[in-house]
């Protein structure tokens, strides 16, 4: 199975859905931030491993404690994944913090600031549309 095959993509999406559900509904670890989302999953073509990219809303300490909580719950989640999905192998889960959502929000704020400043400058400049006869 190729890395970007349709089958592999479908498996990635299904694993992501199941893990999102498990994290939000079944895990009771207090270290895991309730504002945790699974942004993407990349399952290896041999189905032995899966990189799970997670986004956590909060400070760095909250992000790290969530990652450690998920790491300790990985065997439970793997068992639940095996019950939900009928795969030849149930992948071993590796959690990676993904800052792309946070980065996107920050970039959006910066763009809004620049636009706001440009509108202020446009309001302060005199209108050059008047007819000047020489």
């Amino acid at each position: 199975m190729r890395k970007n095959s349709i089958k592999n993509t479908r498996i990635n999406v299904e694993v992501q859905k199941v893990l999102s559900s498990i994290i939000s509904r079944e895990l009771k670890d207090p270290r895991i931030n309730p504002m945790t989302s699974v942004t993407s999953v990349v399952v290896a073509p041999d189905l032995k491993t899966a990189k799970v990219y997670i986004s956590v809303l909060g400070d760095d300490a909250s992000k790290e404690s969530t990652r450690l909580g998920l790491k300790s719950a990985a065997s439970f989640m793997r068992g639940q994944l095996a019950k939900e999905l009928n795969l030849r192998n149930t992948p071993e889960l590796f959690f990676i913090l993904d800052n792309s959502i946070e980065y996107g929000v920050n970039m959006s704020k910066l763009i809004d600031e620049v636009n706001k400043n440009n509108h202020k400058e446009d309001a302060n400049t005199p209108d050059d549309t008047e007819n000047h006869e020489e």
Side-chain angles (χ1 to χ4, degrees):
M1 179 169 53
R2 292 187 325 270
K3 185 174 182 180
N4 292 330
S5 69
I6 293 171
K7 182 179 178 183
N8 195 290
T9 303
R10 203 175 312 139
I11 289 171
N12 290 343
V13 170
E14 287 301 314
V15 170
Q16 179 180 354
K17 285 180 190 175
V18 172
L19 288 177
S20 293
S21 173
I22 292 169
I23 290 171
S24 65
R25 295 190 181 111
E26 298 181 33
L27 293 183
K28 305 295 183 212
D29 192 330
R31 294 178 289 182
I32 299 172
N33 188 321
M35 296 298 288
T36 301
S37 60
V38 178
T39 56
S40 69
V41 174
V42 179
V43 179
D46 62 358
L47 304 177
K48 300 269 188 211
T49 61
K51 292 179 184 175
V52 181
Y53 293 90
I54 57 166
S55 178
V56 180
L57 190 65
D59 60 351
D60 289 339
S62 175
K63 291 177 184 181
E64 189 56 28
S65 70
T66 298
R67 191 185 67 76
L68 292 174
L70 290 172
K71 185 177 178 183
S72 69
S75 60
F76 168 77
M77 287 190 281
R78 190 175 181 195
Q80 294 300 104
L81 195 61
K83 289 179 186 175
E84 291 282 326
L85 299 176
N86 186 16
L87 297 174
R88 186 171 13 113
N89 296 320
T90 304
E92 186 178 350
L93 306 173
F94 296 98
F95 296 95
I96 301 167
L97 286 172
D98 181 11
N99 295 322
S100 62
I101 293 174
E102 189 176 327
Y103 179 78
V105 169
N106 287 337
M107 286 310 246
S108 181
K109 284 180 185 176
L110 290 173
I111 290 169
D112 289 344
E113 271 183 41
V114 168
N115 285 337
K116 194 183 302 181
N117 289 340
N118 283 343
H119 288 304
K120 284 180 184 176
E121 287 176 12
D122 289 345
N124 291 337
T125 56
D127 220 6
D128 290 339
T129 58
E130 298 175 13
N131 288 334
H132 294 289
E133 293 183 23
E134 293 181 22

